[in-house]
Amino acid sequence: MTETQETKDGSPSRRALIGWGGAGLALGAAAAGGAVAMAKAGNDVDPAAAEAGGAVEFHGAHQAGIATPVQDRLHFAAFDVKTDDRAEFVQMLKDWTEAARRMTAGRPVGEGAYGGLAEAPPDDTGEALGLKPSRLTLTIGFGPSLFDRFGLADRRPAALADLPPFPGDNLEKTRTGGDLCIQACADDPQVAVHAIRNLARIGFGKVAVRWSQLGFGKTSSTTPGAQTPRNLFGFKDGTRNIAGTETDRLKKFVWVGDGDVDRKSDWMTGGSYLVARRIRMNIETWDRTPLQEQEDIFGRDKGEGAPVGKAKEHDAPFLKAMKPDAHVRLAHPESNDGITILRRGYSFTDGTDGLGRLEAGLFFLAYQRDVRKGFIPLQRRLAAHDALNEYIQHVGSAVFAVPPGVRDSGDWWGRALFSKEA
């Protein structure tokens, strides 16, 4: 990374911006910037920022990486807490926040990757030197198990519900759960990996990576007018996903409001709840399935993405024209009392399974206002009836409370939860 400067309020300067510049399987359903564009956390921006390798503002009422235009790459990591010292853990959160503030602005961690004491490890690992910010966002979440520590039991929000077992689940312990998580999204995979690597390094001895997932090829969009991406089954995904500009829908379905919390959990106001599911796709079986059957399973045509009986992708679907077990019909809000979630999933491939089959699928990420009213009832319906279940299997799972954004240069991740003053 090239050394840059910040403005007095802690936001990246123009120099920073031009420095080193991815429910079950819910598969259905910038401001112009010139050379540089900045996206405020929680707002939408046109793709010019991506082309310029621009930075996304770290500070804001909501964390970036939720309603932010979806980047092309993901590195997601869940961590286990290894320390029992509350003060030590809080200091790590402060150190993480400062590192995230610098990396998202295109700056090296601490004093950088070189030029310091030769007898000490450098503050930054160095593999992002010379690279642009690539719209890096870093989003933190706290898992249910964290509230068993540090005297936090009575601060756990009721909406941070443990996910029940669903029909067809085949969850692997090594890909499930976590005391906390970091979601790193960027348009350059090395920038995303660099961010997770440095946070893991800073947290050494206090936290340890429980599991992680690399993702590519975003499978949904939060940008109006953008081309709808396709999943590894070849179908368009996220046709009616919540957009970053739809403030009313975000308020209704994504952001935690004052009325959603009590005095003990009011630290979550302005936050959201994240469900992460690793969904293995049976690629080889799908690839031998006739086209008509594939389209019947989804309830959309494969070319245009139009719902059954319609001509265009964004035409309103006539659900009764679809088969009763079609994915779009079952996942649609009209079939689920209006349930709506914001999706930020990514495709993944992790080599083969040792039997000559691709280890590939969807890393499903969904944000919502209340897990009990969002993912859980939706997934129960899909797990019981969705025709797509023949071709997929949920093998990893986690849920996290994602606190509100870091407001300014004096704020830090989790301050409202851990600070008595807050």
Side-chain angles (χ1 to χ4, degrees):
M1 302 179 193
T2 54
E3 187 66 43
T4 57
Q5 296 179 344
E6 292 182 347
T7 56
K8 292 182 179 180
D9 66 357
S11 62
S13 66
R14 185 176 186 276
R15 183 182 173 195
L17 295 179
I18 61 176
W20 50 282
L25 188 60
L27 295 166
V36 178
M38 178 188 294
K40 291 291 184 182
N43 292 339
D44 217 337
V45 66
D46 81 9
E51 296 173 3
V56 175
E57 175 59 65
F58 180 72
H59 300 124
H62 311 293
Q63 289 195 64
I66 302 175
T68 307
V70 184
Q71 302 93 321
D72 289 333
R73 301 285 182 156
L74 167 80
H75 191 189
F76 189 97
F79 295 83
D80 287 332
V81 175
K82 297 299 183 182
T83 181
D84 293 322
D85 188 326
R86 179 181 173 124
E88 184 179 48
F89 183 73
V90 167
Q91 184 59 52
M92 185 204 75
L93 292 177
K94 293 178 179 180
D95 293 341
W96 269 14
T97 305
E98 179 56 27
R101 184 181 286 119
R102 294 178 68 90
M103 289 189 290
T104 55
R107 304 180 65 187
V109 176
E111 297 301 318
Y114 60 89
L117 291 174
E119 296 78 17
D123 290 340
D124 188 282
T125 52
E127 74 274 21
L129 285 170
L131 299 180
K132 298 178 181 180
S134 300
R135 295 193 301 137
L136 172 67
T137 56
L138 292 168
T139 312
I140 195 170
F142 302 134
S145 54
L146 181 67
F147 295 86
D148 297 331
R149 297 174 173 271
F150 308 126
L152 297 176
D154 63 344
R155 307 297 304 278
R156 176 177 172 177
L160 182 60
D162 292 309
L163 299 182
F166 298 104
D169 277 3
N170 186 22
L171 303 183
E172 303 169 12
K173 289 185 177 180
T174 55
R175 298 186 184 274
T176 295
D179 293 329
L180 66 160
C181 73
I182 297 290
Q183 172 193 283
C185 298
D187 290 320
D188 185 326
Q190 187 147 317
V191 171
V193 170
H194 168 264
I196 294 294
R197 177 182 176 185
N198 277 271
L199 295 180
R201 178 185 55 80
I202 292 169
F204 182 78
K206 298 171 280 289
V207 296
V209 175
R210 179 181 178 88
W211 55 268
S212 69
Q213 181 66 59
L214 293 172
F216 68 92
K218 59 188 178 185
T219 61
S220 55
S221 173
T222 57
T223 305
Q227 179 176 333
T228 305
R230 294 179 183 269
N231 55 54
L232 290 183
F233 284 157
F235 279 77
K236 292 185 176 182
D237 191 5
T239 292
R240 192 62 183 95
N241 197 31
I242 301 174
T245 53
E246 294 182 298
T247 54
D248 290 344
R249 293 183 81 202
L250 288 168
K251 182 177 180 181
K252 183 177 181 179
F253 297 114
V254 178
W255 307 132
V256 176
D258 292 333
D260 300 327
V261 296
D262 57 22
R263 184 177 62 85
K264 292 288 189 178
S265 60
D266 59 2
W267 60 273
M268 268 297 292
T269 301
S272 189
Y273 294 96
L274 168 64
V275 171
R277 303 278 283 185
R278 189 178 192 270
I279 303 171
R280 169 83 183 272
M281 290 178 169
N282 300 323
I283 298 291
E284 291 76 17
T285 304
W286 179 262
D287 290 346
R288 296 193 298 271
T289 301
L291 175 61
Q292 185 61 60
E293 185 176 345
Q294 291 183 0
E295 294 181 335
D296 287 343
I297 288 170
F298 271 96
R300 291 184 178 274
D301 75 65
K302 198 167 189 177
E304 169 62 27
V308 172
K310 301 292 184 175
K312 298 295 183 182
E313 175 194 349
H314 294 281
D315 289 345
F318 180 53
L319 299 181
K320 292 183 178 179
M322 302 176 188
K323 291 186 177 297
D325 57 359
H327 179 76
V328 170
R329 180 171 179 172
L330 292 171
H332 197 278
E334 291 182 10
S335 301
N336 297 281
D337 298 320
I339 292 175
T340 304
I341 56 179
L342 186 155
R343 288 160 287 167
R344 284 187 68 96
Y346 287 83
S347 295
F348 70 84
T349 57
D350 290 335
T352 67
D353 63 358
L355 299 174
R357 299 173 301 194
L358 285 174
E359 177 73 28
L362 169 69
F363 190 67
F364 173 84
L365 296 168
Y367 288 89
Q368 61 238 274
R369 187 170 168 177
D370 190 326
V371 173
R372 299 167 300 176
K373 301 176 182 178
F375 178 80
I376 290 176
L378 180 59
Q379 176 59 16
R380 277 182 173 145
R381 180 176 176 82
L382 290 170
H385 305 292
D386 194 352
L388 200 55
N389 291 332
E390 182 180 347
Y391 302 92
I392 64 173
Q393 189 168 63
H394 293 242
V395 296
S397 179
V399 59
F400 300 96
V402 178
V406 175
R407 299 302 183 109
D408 52 42
S409 59
D411 199 3
W412 44 276
W413 275 333
R415 180 186 61 84
L417 172 60
F418 285 93
S419 172
K420 294 180 180 180
E421 293 76 14

